[in-house]
Each structure stands twice: as structure tokens, then as C-alpha cells.
Amino acid sequence: MISCKEDEGELVKRKAMTDVIMENPEFSMLKDIMQRAKKSDAFRSQNQTLLAPSNAAFNKANIFSSSVITSMPDTSVDEFLNSHVIKSVKKYSEFEAGSLATAAKLKLGVTKKDSVITFNGAKISRKDIETANGYIQVLDSVYVKVIK
């Protein structure tokens, strides 16, 4: 009989939020925005929840290129990105109706009807993508107004 002992160094670790965004074509616009805001390290190390608009969500808002956001001033790009960050780790089932503040201090209206949760009207199209430092909740639309 042969037995294998798992060595802690051999265990497969979850990817950091940055890596999930960087490697997934569904988030190519978000990736560009994150790089422009110089937030790659923050999304790698900080424990948080990201309400991530997918490329389809940007397209639904008539944003077909990340340059619409990346061409804005640094502070606006940073604020846009932080408007999608919750500074705590939350699974989909842990969100409650009411209001919720983002890292940019944007107050989101959270509604919960049956099993559907929306943030300022944006629904979660894919929930609980687990990363090494939190969860990504994929939005079906962009819920913040883009200020030029």
C-alpha cells in the first residue's frame, strides 16, 4: 500500500483578485482601469469584495472601450474603481437590503427580493468567485455615472 502525504508547499492556492481579473477576458476593460489606477497590488493583497462590471456590463452602459474611463483624470479613475470595492469580504448570501458604502464612500442602495440582490439597480450575474483575498461579484451593468 502506498500513501501520499500532502506537502503544504504543493497545495494549489487560490489566485489573488488581481490575477483573476488579469487572466479573464471577461474583465479586459476592468483590467485596463485597474492598471491605469495603479491598483494591481491593492487587489492582490487587501481583503475585500469587488462588485466587478464585466465587459458586457460596460457595453450595456454604451461604454465600448476602457479609454472612456482611463482617459479621465487620475482621481476620477481611482474613484470609479473604488466605487466597486467593498472593504470587507462578503459572500452573495451575506448582503442585506439597505445601504452599503464602497471604498469611494459611494452609498449603494441594496435591494433583496427573493434570491435576487441588486446594487443601485445592477444585478449580480455571477456570484461568489472566490479569490485568495475575497470575493468577486460580477455585475450585469455599471451602476455609477461616468463623469468626464
Side-chain angles (χ1 to χ4, degrees):
M1 195 175 251
I2 298 174
S3 113
C4 293
K5 181 180 175 188
E6 286 186 349
D7 185 354
E8 195 171 310
E10 295 175 12
L11 295 177
V12 176
K13 307 252 190 265
R14 286 188 182 86
K15 292 182 180 186
M17 206 170 279
T18 296
D19 299 323
V20 172
I21 292 165
M22 294 291 186
E23 295 171 6
N24 191 328
E26 174 185 18
F27 299 123
S28 64
M29 284 197 254
L30 185 60
K31 170 186 160 185
D32 292 347
I33 295 165
M34 184 173 52
Q35 289 174 324
R36 169 71 167 76
K38 298 176 178 78
K39 294 284 187 178
S40 296
D41 287 341
F43 280 84
R44 186 176 312 286
S45 60
Q46 294 177 3
N47 292 337
Q48 58 197 5
T49 302
L50 176 63
L51 303 174
S54 64
N55 290 347
F58 282 110
N59 293 166
K60 189 175 175 181
N62 292 321
I63 299 171
F64 300 102
S65 169
S66 59
S67 66
V68 170
I69 295 164
T70 59
S71 64
M72 297 187 308
D74 291 351
T75 55
S76 297
V77 175
D78 194 54
E79 185 176 339
F80 178 87
L81 191 57
N82 283 328
S83 294
H84 293 84
V85 174
I86 309 299
K87 287 192 167 196
S88 62
V89 177
K90 286 189 173 278
K91 292 179 84 170
Y92 185 81
S93 61
E94 296 172 335
F95 286 103
E96 297 293 328
S99 71
L100 182 66
T102 67
K105 297 184 181 19
L106 173 70
K107 293 282 187 192
L108 298 178
V110 182
T111 59
K112 192 171 186 180
K113 185 173 181 181
D114 300 322
S115 64
V116 178
I117 299 170
T118 62
F119 302 89
N120 283 13
K123 293 179 186 171
I124 301 296
S125 60
R126 218 169 66 208
K127 58 187 171 186
D128 294 342
I129 299 172
E130 193 169 0
T131 69
N133 58 313
Y135 288 97
I136 299 173
Q137 310 293 347
V138 182
L139 296 174
D140 75 340
S141 58
V142 178
Y143 59 71
V144 294
K145 183 177 178 182
V146 177
I147 301 170
K148 295 182 184 180

